[in-house]
Amino acid sequence: MSQAYEKVLKARDLKRISTIDIIENLTDWFIELHGDRHMEDDKSIIGGIGMYDGQPITIIGIQKGRTTRENIERNFGSVGPGGYRKAIRLVEQANKFNRPILTLINTAGAHASPESEETGIGEAIAQSLLTFAKVEVPTLSIILGEGGSGGALALALTDEVWMLENSVYSILSPEGFASILWKDAKLASKAADVMKLTASDLHELKVVEKIIPEINHGVPLNRDVILKRTINDIKAKFKELSQLDVDTRLANRNKRFRSF
């Protein structure tokens, strides 16, 4: 098994740090908001308003379950049109009230089903990208586990994108890549090497700005240590981004994605 595919398996671990973990450790209080005001409340997206150190913040995160029952309720972290429209609503609200936006990503990809197609999954993802591109408040994305395809990118058009060390970010799964390229999903380990989907690969390619360590000298770091460092880094980054004027922040964001 390749080292890259080992990272894929670690990224899929149901016990990984989740959106709920970040919310509980970052905010003094948090109010979850529900529904897209159009068709449904997609529970794979947790979104709402919180407060930390006297600073209001909007948090939007993709949440997988840790049991079969939770995964069914959360649709295994695969977001449908209603979830992205809920995110868009919260982004627009945050922009109106001048709240920074944190997005937290862990998804194999958007919900691929006839129902999603019928209710506009492509349009919802496109509208999410457009909304994030124009928003004037500071924005930050963190990939906690899997960052799969447009389902992840829809929430990651932000001022900076970070990854946990054992997370992955790619155009599709290694299994899907192997099936398309070599007609054999069993070659997923080989595909993972080719795809350059690990945090170190993407940091080297300047697709992400920061890797959050999960290992120290070959030893996995304590979960609480990772959370504490992540929370401190989030606070520091939003303080830094808030000191930039809107025009500079938008120009930097535009330049960031055009450089790809």
Side-chain angles (χ1 to χ4, degrees):
M1 183 186 299
S2 70
Q3 289 185 345
Y5 195 66
E6 287 180 2
K7 296 274 188 180
V8 173
L9 297 181
K10 289 177 181 178
R12 292 172 176 170
D13 186 347
L14 297 180
K15 296 180 181 179
R16 288 187 65 75
I17 290 171
S18 71
T19 288
I20 291 174
D21 295 325
I22 297 291
I23 290 171
E24 290 179 346
N25 284 270
L26 172 63
T27 61
D28 302 313
W29 55 260
F30 181 79
I31 299 173
E32 184 176 357
L33 302 178
H34 298 275
D36 64 349
R37 299 297 186 266
H38 181 67
M39 59 181 288
E40 64 177 348
D41 180 33
D42 186 335
K43 292 186 179 180
S44 61
I45 288 270
I46 294 176
I49 305 164
M51 185 78 76
Y52 71 88
D53 300 344
Q55 166 68 55
I57 184 172
T58 289
I59 302 174
I60 303 165
I62 302 173
Q63 178 71 33
K64 292 182 179 180
R66 286 184 173 151
T67 65
T68 300
R69 182 176 178 179
E70 288 177 358
N71 261 320
I72 291 171
E73 183 181 8
R74 300 285 185 189
N75 200 31
F76 295 85
S78 292
V79 185
Y84 291 114
R85 292 187 181 116
K86 176 164 65 173
I88 291 166
R89 179 171 76 87
L90 296 178
V91 169
E92 290 175 340
Q93 182 192 79
N95 197 52
K96 180 178 180 179
F97 293 102
N98 197 33
R99 292 191 296 267
I101 301 167
L102 173 66
T103 66
L104 303 163
I105 297 165
N106 186 9
T107 182
H111 188 212
S113 70
E115 293 77 18
S116 286
E117 290 295 330
E118 289 168 3
T119 50
I121 186 70
E123 184 273 340
I125 290 174
Q127 190 61 45
S128 183
L129 291 168
L130 181 62
T131 303
F132 272 101
K134 297 190 298 182
V135 70
E136 296 182 349
V137 297
T139 56
L140 172 65
S141 296
I142 304 177
I143 298 170
L144 302 176
E146 289 184 283
S149 192
L153 183 61
L155 300 183
L157 207 158
T158 50
D159 295 319
E160 288 197 11
V161 178
W162 299 353
M163 295 178 69
L164 287 180
E165 185 175 358
N166 289 325
S167 64
V168 294
Y169 191 22
S170 61
I171 56 170
L172 78 169
S173 70
E175 292 83 1
F177 187 99
S179 295
I180 292 169
L181 195 61
W182 301 303
K183 312 300 181 186
D184 187 355
K186 294 179 181 178
L187 296 176
S189 180
K190 177 181 176 182
D193 273 342
V194 173
M195 292 172 73
K196 303 295 183 183
L197 45 63
T198 68
S200 57
D201 289 330
L202 293 164
H203 188 259
E204 184 177 344
L205 292 168
K206 299 184 178 180
V207 173
V208 301
E209 279 77 14
K210 183 180 181 67
I211 299 173
I212 300 168
E214 295 186 73
I215 299 170
N216 183 29
H217 299 298
V219 179
L221 289 170
N222 180 276
R223 182 189 188 85
D224 291 337
V225 171
I226 298 171
L227 276 167
K228 184 176 181 179
R229 289 180 178 178
T230 303
I231 298 309
N232 288 338
D233 287 349
I234 289 170
K235 291 179 179 180
K237 178 50 63 176
F238 276 127
K239 183 176 181 180
E240 177 187 322
L241 290 171
S242 68
Q243 293 171 352
L244 299 174
D245 63 81
V246 172
D247 289 341
T248 300
R249 202 159 49 234
L250 287 172
N252 289 346
R253 191 185 307 155
N254 184 286
K255 181 179 178 182
R256 180 189 190 280
F257 285 93
R258 284 187 177 275
S259 68
F260 297 162

